[in-house]
Amino acid sequence: MGSKILPQWASKPCAMGIDEAGRGPVLGPMVYGCLYCAQSYMKTLATLSFADSKTLKEEKREELFETLKTNESIGWAVDVIDPRELSAKMLKKNKINLNEISHDSAMGLVDRVLKMGVLLTEVYIDTVGDPGKYEMKLSKNFPSIKFVVAKKADSLYPVVSGASIVAKVTRDRALREWVLDETAENMQRNFGSGYPGDPKTKDWLEDHKHHIFGFPTLVRFSWGTCNSYFKDVAQVLWESDNLDEDGGGGSNSNGKRQLKLSNVGFFSTSKRRSEEVESSGKGRCRFFQARKLEHLTNF
């Protein structure tokens, strides 16, 4: 987040740009970033060398990010969406697709900045899906704001270019600093760009798959790319408490529902529910608790 104390310019009409980084990769978080400033500052903003982050080298992006962080005429914010959250939403019983997740993240940033007291009057955003429908959805939720939804907005509007730098640098840093929860031997971080077509990413996925445990939590296992790695996956019969909000399958004699994992990594329990199960103890490893895994006897 940018300035903690609301600057004076924020009470005057302001414009904001929103963009994302990491929509396509199979590894790591998706990050939505926004940059906002007074409308009277927009001409100056256009002189600050912001450009679509994909056209800039990493060193230049980092340099521009540090510059905008110290600029008192600019505010910014990010929403980092964990790969586990992406997979959970896309695989749950009532699926939430990537476009909806993207829309919710963008609207969440608008809402957050408004609640800070910033007088947003215009928001520029790179489209996700049909621009007209997206614009209608945004305007319905925030009727006091004029929305400009466009393809390639990050190369058309400097305020969106700035947001793309915020998002891209945040995602790059998140990947660099990612702490692998798993403790298996021979785990390494040479996973390339994280895009499905990257040979380094493909090799990393092949080397880090497990026919029972699936992939490390860095991986968005809801991506279709992952399916080809698990042709020999073990079918796991597991028990979940009746407290689970989703799921299916029948109940056994203990009143617990039994679910078979046909897709690696499938789970449907909310974060709050997961935390409740973890906090209950049972003496099991956190790895198994978090994934609701039970002892497997038949291979």
Side-chain angles (χ1 to χ4, degrees):
M1 178 63 72
S3 306
K4 292 182 179 179
I5 300 173
L6 199 64
Q8 286 188 334
W9 56 260
S11 60
K12 298 174 182 177
C14 292
M16 182 164 83
I18 300 176
D19 199 19
E20 54 76 26
R23 179 179 168 87
V26 67
L27 301 181
M30 179 169 74
V31 177
Y32 260 78
C34 73
L35 183 143
Y36 55 94
C37 64
Q39 287 199 25
S40 59
Y41 189 75
M42 291 280 275
K43 285 185 179 179
T44 306
L45 187 73
T47 69
L48 299 184
S49 303
F50 291 155
D52 173 11
S53 63
K54 292 185 286 295
T55 67
L56 300 172
K57 292 184 178 179
E58 184 175 355
E59 296 80 8
K60 184 62 176 177
R61 288 196 301 264
E62 291 276 351
E63 178 188 320
L64 288 171
F65 185 48
E66 292 305 318
T67 299
L68 72 84
K69 280 166 62 178
T70 59
N71 188 328
E72 294 182 355
S73 297
I74 295 173
W76 59 277
V78 293
D79 180 26
V80 180
I81 308 168
D82 189 278
R84 287 164 289 194
E85 181 181 346
L86 290 170
S87 296
K89 287 181 173 178
M90 294 176 72
L91 291 175
K92 65 186 293 187
K93 186 176 181 181
N94 298 315
K95 293 177 174 55
I96 304 174
N97 66 38
L98 194 60
N99 280 6
E100 290 178 86
I101 295 170
S102 299
H103 291 176
D104 289 345
S105 181
M107 290 190 291
L109 286 173
V110 174
D111 188 55
R112 194 195 310 179
V113 172
L114 284 173
K115 285 178 177 174
M116 288 169 54
V118 178
L119 181 58
L120 284 181
T121 56
E122 288 186 354
V123 172
Y124 298 81
I125 185 167
D126 207 21
T127 192
V128 173
D130 181 82
K133 290 180 180 178
Y134 192 13
E135 188 175 322
M136 286 176 61
K137 184 176 182 179
L138 291 164
S139 297
K140 182 179 178 182
N141 282 275
F142 305 99
S144 64
I145 297 174
K146 176 191 173 185
F147 287 94
V148 177
V149 182
K151 294 179 180 179
K152 305 294 182 184
D154 47 5
S155 58
L156 295 174
Y157 306 105
V159 71
V160 183
S161 302
S164 77
I165 290 168
V166 169
K168 179 65 173 154
V169 173
T170 300
R171 176 178 150 82
D172 287 347
R173 290 181 179 181
L175 272 179
R176 281 201 303 270
E177 298 165 8
W178 190 272
V179 177
L180 292 163
D181 292 335
E182 297 73 21
T183 55
E185 293 181 8
N186 303 320
M187 292 193 73
Q188 43 86 3
R189 304 177 61 87
N190 187 25
F191 40 66
S193 66
Y195 280 89
D198 186 333
K200 285 186 178 180
T201 302
K202 289 181 179 179
D203 290 343
W204 190 90
L205 288 169
E206 185 64 40
D207 292 343
H208 290 78
K209 69 179 182 180
H210 191 286
H211 77 296
I212 293 177
F213 297 136
F215 285 119
T217 54
L218 176 66
V219 180
R220 305 176 189 177
F221 46 80
S222 57
W223 258 231
T225 307
C226 296
N227 294 339
S228 61
Y229 292 89
F230 286 98
K231 293 173 183 175
D232 57 346
V233 64
Q235 188 179 65
V236 181
L237 184 68
W238 65 296
E239 296 177 343
S240 63
D241 296 333
N242 285 328
L243 289 172
D244 282 356
E245 61 184 21
D246 290 325
S251 297
N252 64 14
S253 57
N254 297 322
K256 291 184 175 181
R257 283 180 295 190
Q258 292 186 332
L259 300 172
K260 289 185 178 180
L261 298 190
S262 56
N263 291 327
V264 171
F266 169 84
F267 66 100
S268 57
T269 308
S270 68
K271 183 180 179 185
R272 182 175 61 81
R273 297 286 190 191
S274 298
E275 289 171 349
E276 287 175 2
V277 173
E278 284 192 32
S279 63
S280 68
K282 306 294 186 187
R284 289 192 299 140
C285 171
R286 175 171 169 253
F287 180 95
F288 294 94
Q289 291 180 40
R291 291 159 179 77
K292 313 292 181 297
L293 294 174
E294 294 290 344
H295 184 60
L296 179 69
T297 55
N298 297 315
F299 288 84

